[in-house]
Amino acid sequence: MVALTTRSPVPPAVASGPAPVLHLPALRHLGPNWYASVMGTAIVATAGAGLPWQPPGLRTVLTVVWALSALLLLVLLAARTLHWARHRDQARAHLMDAAMAPFYGCLAMALLAVGGATLVVGVDWIGLRAAVAVDLVLFTAGTVTGVLAAVAVPYLMVVRHRPAMATASPVWLLPVVAPMVSAALGPLLVPHLASGQLRRTLLYGCYGLFGLSLLGALVMLPLILGRLLTGGPPAPALTPTLFLVLGPLGQSTTAVHQLAEAAPGVVPEPYARGFTVLAVLFGVPVMGFAALWLGLAGALVVRALRRGMGFSLTWWGFTFPVGTCVTGLTGLARQTGLGAFALGAAGLYGLLVTAWLVAGTGTVRRLVSGRLPAPPA
């Protein structure tokens, strides 16, 4: 989600005629930020399936969107494998770049998002047994990758990147948010595991991931807000990354609700009841802050648009974070029965779908024209 505006270098032999989008020289600039498109697509399916209102035909559309996210994941995994095989120097350069390394958290979240969507809507096409198996594999891979990213990327920032405080960016949140996605989607697997120790281990493990991610995000957020207040707005092309702050807010609210719904019968009372109380006491104030940040980030995006902000991969930042707020509000609506939360979820879902269509259209057009993948400007 860095600004990608320059055309990637094309050898004369390729430039003389039409070239496929994924010719190997273009793969050189295919960074881990591309996984944001998978995340943004999968959340459209998952968030839509949880809405209180389900118009006829919506479920079928959401299942098609899930299938698209799964296809995108497979294509990107293959392309990124080729990237590491053919352009290892560039792949290592991404890890050594403070602006690009945090996007390795997107790989974990893409695996988790597609796995969760498989169990929520993909089950309609492939059946429960296959959906559970797919989600179990993707959840395991995504969780391991997410925890590694949450440790490795901050380590690299400390010992190699050493970024200046003036460069603090919402992108720094990506590695520490990945375990929160595991915490939110892991409870979906709890009913499908053998009762007893296995279910309780997964449930408490997800709570541990919740704490890991929440505390990590709380450390990063003051740096990001301080950077804005003392350094002014980011460059127009990077302004959409402000929406990434919504990710830990919406995803943590989603996590506490999913954990509360999975707790009865798995953990004894009064803990199960305590999980439900925590879901409301935590979720309401956090979503209040999310509303404040949405207003601030939205105003800064309008300002950037007036100053000529053009399309780049950063626009995918408008999708997944907003989707997590949709699922968070949906959880609050179920727990409290308040129509205001359900209405807010429906309104944000409309924003999510609009952002997804705009980001997807812009990405496809630039892929077809050869302007993507391209090196950062």
Side-chain angles (χ1 to χ4, degrees):
M1 289 192 268
V2 292
L4 299 176
T5 55
T6 6
R7 183 184 294 269
S8 56
V10 182
V14 178
S16 62
V21 171
L22 290 180
H23 59 281
L24 290 181
L27 285 181
R28 179 170 181 79
H29 304 293
L30 189 76
N33 51 338
W34 279 80
Y35 286 112
S37 62
V38 179
M39 299 157 51
T41 302
I43 197 68
V44 171
T46 305
L51 291 175
W53 301 289
Q54 295 287 312
L58 176 63
R59 183 83 180 183
T60 301
V61 173
L62 297 180
T63 310
V64 172
V65 173
W66 157 77
L68 177 60
S69 71
L71 178 61
L72 285 173
L73 178 62
L74 291 174
V75 170
L76 276 174
L77 286 174
R80 287 286 296 162
T81 301
L82 282 174
H83 179 268
W84 272 95
R86 301 296 181 91
H87 304 289
R88 190 164 299 176
D89 62 322
Q90 183 69 10
R92 289 174 176 170
H94 286 162
L95 278 174
M96 295 301 108
D97 182 0
M100 184 63 76
F103 285 101
Y104 274 90
C106 290
L107 167 59
M109 290 187 279
L111 295 168
L112 292 164
V114 173
T118 301
L119 198 53
V120 172
V121 294
V123 64
D124 293 354
W125 284 5
I126 66 175
L128 180 59
R129 185 172 181 178
V132 170
V134 170
D135 189 24
L136 188 60
V137 171
L138 292 180
F139 175 79
T140 303
T143 300
V144 172
T145 304
V147 172
L148 288 175
V151 174
V153 174
Y155 173 82
L156 287 174
M157 293 176 73
V158 171
V159 302
R160 295 297 298 270
H161 303 156
R162 297 188 180 180
M165 288 294 295
T167 64
S169 162
V171 171
W172 291 7
L173 290 167
L174 292 173
V176 298
V177 172
M180 188 66 79
V181 181
S182 295
L185 295 176
L188 297 176
L189 284 168
V190 169
H192 305 287
L193 300 180
S195 59
Q197 287 282 329
L198 199 55
R199 288 186 180 182
R200 289 198 296 273
T201 299
L202 177 57
L203 192 69
Y204 283 120
C206 287
Y207 253 109
L209 292 169
F210 167 82
L212 181 161
S213 182
L214 178 65
L215 295 177
L218 290 177
V219 170
M220 296 290 189
L221 283 174
L223 303 178
I224 296 165
L225 184 57
R227 155 66 184 84
L228 285 176
L229 294 177
T230 60
L238 298 178
T239 302
T241 63
L242 293 175
F243 272 67
L244 297 180
V245 174
L246 295 174
L249 304 176
Q251 199 66 277
S252 61
T253 303
T254 303
V256 290
H257 284 284
Q258 293 290 83
L259 289 163
E261 292 177 0
V266 178
V267 297
E269 295 293 351
Y271 300 115
R273 178 60 183 167
F275 286 4
T276 302
V277 173
L278 175 63
V280 177
L281 295 182
F282 176 89
V284 173
V286 168
M287 292 310 297
F289 181 73
L292 181 152
W293 192 271
L294 180 62
L296 174 62
L300 289 171
V301 166
V302 171
R303 177 183 181 276
L305 286 170
R306 290 177 175 175
R307 284 160 173 76
M309 180 181 76
F311 177 82
S312 69
L313 289 183
T314 58
W315 285 40
W316 282 102
F318 296 135
T319 56
F320 189 79
V322 173
T324 67
C325 291
V326 174
T327 55
L329 286 171
T330 300
L332 282 172
R334 288 198 302 267
Q335 292 288 352
T336 64
L338 291 178
F341 290 129
L343 186 62
L348 280 183
Y349 187 72
L351 176 62
L352 167 63
V353 172
T354 301
W356 175 67
L357 290 172
V358 172
T361 302
T363 302
V364 170
R365 284 178 177 174
R366 282 154 181 79
L367 277 171
V368 171
S369 67
R371 285 181 283 171
L372 290 176

